[in-house]
Each structure stands twice: as structure tokens, then as C-alpha cells.
Amino acid sequence: MIIFGSTGSIGVNALELAKLKNMKISALACGENIKLLNKQIEQFKPDFVCIKNSKDKPLVKHKRVFVGQEGLEKILTECEDELLLNAIVGFAGLRSSLKAKELGKNIALANKESLVVAGEFLKGAKIIPIDSEHSALKFLLQKHKNVKKLYITASGGAFWKSKIKDLQKVSAKDALKHPTWQMGAKITIDSATMANKLFEIIEAYHLYGFKEIDALIEPKSIIHALCEFKDGGVSAYFSYADMKLAISQAIFKTHNTKILEYIDFVKLSSLKFYKISERKYPIFKLKNELLKYPSLGVLINAANEVLVQKFLQGKCEFLDISDGIFKAIDYFGVPKLKDVLAVFEYDIKVREYLR
């Protein structure tokens, strides 16, 4: 297996799982956490390593160190492993997904932005999603026909119990206190705004070809997806909130190893579902428009990345994230993406506009 984003939460969990079955890790790539990367190199002895910045190259304890996007693509070309785990954060992970598709590799995809911004251009790619919701949907859809509607669930994020008026003054520190999941900063903020759930809906559309998709808040994060059938029946996927399960389902060929504790349904407290409030989570208003015009994903993602970074740096307010996304859509309209190069052009234009 090749792991891009090895020092992030997905990468670290994937490496822990790889130890269970003695999987050979042929390549590791990370951003700037060289200290952790060196520990991973010592333990897994990869053939290839890639880092973000050339200035860090002397610090890496490996003979073959590649740098940047060019380095990632060289690894994909030179390494014969069939499986890439792409856990790069944000738009930066798109080129690796496209290259892996070109090379015919299997893609264990944690970089949801690849599908959000360029799902049309990844058709035919051998993608196995790494997301608790999409992993659950994949399982639910395996043996079922006559599906009426799909649902994914949301925890509600850090501000699930907050009042709408209080969101005007929340800090990044507040937004990073996720109630049920341990994730990176970017995705935790996306959970608080519900951008993450918006992205997961369009991701599900590209993965499974359904436009009848919605999301519900289930604060305990025990149910991850539901499949509603035309006859009135519904299937649900239960598991404790731990990304190891979704990762294992993406990287293992067999699934007979215990990954999580089993749920004791007798001890399980009551579960409730809630509609997502578009007043509290205004980004979610875009759900139907995004499903109608999937190319809007490139605008929404670029605007979101810029504004989340500003919020984390204390340069804008929490509610400015959704406001900025709507401004970008009003300014650019529905993008016409004739080819994948247009995706990169729109991404640059949106970032320039918002800066």
C-alpha cells in the first residue's frame, strides 16, 4: 500500500491497521510533520518517501526522498503497489487521485474533495471510500435493489447544542471541540458548519449515482447511514464512532478481523434523529442546488478552504465562512467544466476573489 497523508489521523490509523495483517507499506508521504514521518520510516521501512517542502529534505531519514506534487506523481508511477490510500487534506489531493486513476490503481479515498470538485473526471476510477457514511452506504447497497432514498448522518458538530445567536462570537478553539469524533482541524470546522455533510452528499452522488440523498443529525454517531426502500422498509448501519472500521473496509481484502468493540444494543441509550436546520447551518441550503449542478462543488470547496483557514487564523468570524461561500457562488455562477483543467482554473479564481 501507498499512503499519502501518513502523519494525519487517517494515515496514522491506517498504519496501525496495516500492522495487524503485516501489510507492506511501500511509500509514505506527508506535509511537515517530519518527526512522526521518521518514526514511521523506521517502523515500516518504505521504498519511497515524499514531503511537502524541499527545505526539510535533509531532516528525513531515508535515501529516496521526493518533494511536492511532482514527487507524489513520481512515486505513483514508479511504485508497483496497486493500492493508494489518499488522505491528503483538501484540493491538494486531487492531482494524486487523477494520477492514480490514470495508472489504474485502486484508490482508498479519504480525500473527499477529489470527488466534490472533480467527480465527473474521476468516473471509472477504482475508488473505495474512506468515510464512515460512504462505507456504510456501500455495505447497505451491496445486495439491495428498489432503493427510494439514501440518508447519511451528522453529529451536529461542535455547536449542536449552541443557540443560533451565539454563533456570532464563537472562536476556532470552540469549533474544534467535536463531540464524538477525533479528526483534523479542517474537517472538524467543516463538521461545525455542516460543509462536511454537504460534501459527503455530493460525494455519495458521484460514488453511487443517487440524487435522492439527504442527511439527518444523529448526535451519538452510532448510526452512519440509512437506506430507504420503495416498499417502506429501511436498513441502517450501526457502529461505534471510529474511523478504523471504514479504513479497514477500504484497505483489507477480507473482513474477518475484529476492528471495533461490538455494540451492546441492550445497553444502548435511545437514539434520536433531527432535521438539519438551515438557519443554524446555512451552508446546507446548497444541498439541492449542488445535486442539480455538481460543478458548483469546485466553487464551494475553494471558498470553504480559504475561509476555514482564515477562521483558524483568527482573520474572520465563524459565520463569515458560509457568507463567503454564498458570495463566491453569486459572483461566479454555475461553472462550465469542459475538462479537468477548468477545475484548477476555477479553484485559482475563487481563491483570488476571496483573498
Side-chain angles (χ1 to χ4, degrees):
M1 175 167 58
I2 300 164
I3 300 183
F4 288 176
S6 68
T7 59
S9 61
I10 297 291
V12 168
N13 278 318
L15 287 170
E16 281 188 31
L17 289 167
K19 285 188 290 186
L20 287 179
K21 297 200 175 184
N22 296 313
M23 287 183 74
K24 163 68 176 168
I25 305 299
S26 298
L28 295 171
C30 80
E32 298 172 331
N33 192 345
I34 306 302
K35 184 178 179 181
L36 179 53
L37 176 65
N38 281 332
K39 289 180 180 178
Q40 293 174 345
I41 290 169
E42 183 180 359
Q43 184 172 11
F44 293 95
K45 298 176 174 52
D47 301 316
F48 306 89
V49 171
C50 187
I51 56 173
K52 183 179 179 181
N53 303 312
S54 56
K55 67 178 177 63
D56 293 329
K57 203 170 178 179
L59 304 175
V60 182
K61 297 175 181 178
H62 199 278
K63 291 179 181 179
R64 299 199 71 191
V65 182
F66 296 94
V67 177
Q69 183 59 45
E70 184 181 350
L72 295 174
E73 294 188 24
K74 280 184 179 178
I75 286 176
L76 288 173
T77 303
E78 291 188 31
C79 182
E80 295 181 357
D81 284 22
E82 294 181 358
L83 177 62
L84 164 68
L85 191 159
N86 185 359
I88 296 171
V89 177
F91 187 85
L94 173 59
R95 289 190 188 274
S96 295
S97 295
L98 293 168
K99 187 66 176 178
K101 179 199 171 187
E102 178 191 320
L103 295 167
K105 293 186 185 293
N106 297 314
I107 309 168
L109 189 65
N111 176 260
K112 60 170 56 71
E113 292 82 2
S114 289
L115 287 172
V116 170
V117 305
E120 179 184 343
F121 303 103
L122 284 167
K123 284 180 181 175
K126 295 182 282 189
I127 294 173
I128 314 132
I130 292 185
D131 226 332
S132 67
E133 294 82 3
H134 300 103
S135 184
L137 285 176
K138 183 172 182 280
F139 181 86
L140 291 174
L141 289 168
Q142 272 178 351
K143 298 179 181 178
H144 293 300
K145 296 180 181 179
N146 300 314
V147 176
K148 180 176 180 289
K149 192 169 185 177
L150 302 177
Y151 291 91
I152 56 175
T153 60
S155 66
F159 303 130
W160 162 237
K161 293 183 178 179
S162 301
K163 294 180 180 177
I164 295 172
K165 63 182 178 65
D166 295 331
L167 298 181
Q168 295 175 355
K169 56 188 178 183
V170 296
S171 68
K173 187 178 178 181
D174 298 326
L176 289 170
K177 295 175 183 175
H178 197 284
T180 54
W181 293 95
Q182 293 296 317
M183 306 180 292
K186 165 68 167 54
I187 195 170
T188 306
I189 302 300
D190 287 349
S191 177
T193 63
M194 210 57 73
N196 194 39
K197 217 48 54 178
L198 184 70
F199 289 167
E200 286 173 3
I201 281 177
I202 198 64
E203 193 180 0
Y205 160 70
H206 286 302
L207 286 167
Y208 305 119
F210 278 87
K211 283 202 173 184
E212 287 298 314
I213 312 167
D214 207 345
L216 298 166
I217 291 175
E218 191 278 281
K220 290 186 178 4
S221 297
I222 292 288
I223 295 179
H224 302 275
L226 302 107
C227 188
E228 184 177 74
F229 303 102
K230 291 176 182 177
D231 63 4
V234 180
S235 291
Y237 191 97
F238 289 72
S239 78
Y240 286 120
D242 191 321
M243 283 305 298
K244 286 191 182 73
L245 184 60
I247 296 168
S248 72
Q249 290 172 344
I251 68 173
F252 293 159
K253 291 181 179 178
T254 58
H255 306 288
N256 53 6
T257 303
K258 182 181 177 183
I259 304 298
L260 302 184
E261 287 301 315
Y262 303 117
I263 293 175
D264 185 337
F265 287 95
V266 175
K267 294 181 179 178
L268 195 63
S269 58
S270 62
L271 295 170
K272 291 186 178 181
F273 295 90
Y274 302 87
K275 189 174 180 179
I276 295 174
S277 166
E278 292 182 354
R279 286 187 62 224
K280 189 170 186 177
Y281 304 102
I283 286 175
F284 204 70
K285 289 178 186 176
L286 293 168
K287 176 180 76 77
N288 292 335
E289 195 170 359
L290 180 57
L291 283 166
K292 186 177 181 180
Y293 303 110
S295 64
L296 284 170
V298 67
L299 304 184
I300 297 168
N301 180 73
N304 187 60
E305 285 193 14
V306 171
L307 293 158
V308 167
Q309 188 62 28
K310 282 187 175 184
F311 176 63
L312 287 168
Q313 293 171 344
K315 295 179 179 178
C316 77
E317 302 299 325
F318 180 74
L319 295 178
D320 291 337
I321 298 173
S322 55
D323 289 345
I325 290 171
F326 283 104
K327 284 178 184 175
I329 292 173
D330 288 343
Y331 184 81
F332 289 98
V334 178
K336 294 179 181 178
L337 305 176
K338 294 181 181 179
D339 53 39
V340 75
L341 289 176
V343 173
F344 291 93
E345 289 168 3
Y346 267 104
D347 180 76
I348 291 168
K349 287 177 182 177
V350 174
R351 291 170 194 272
E352 288 175 348
Y353 170 70
L354 286 170
R355 282 173 184 150

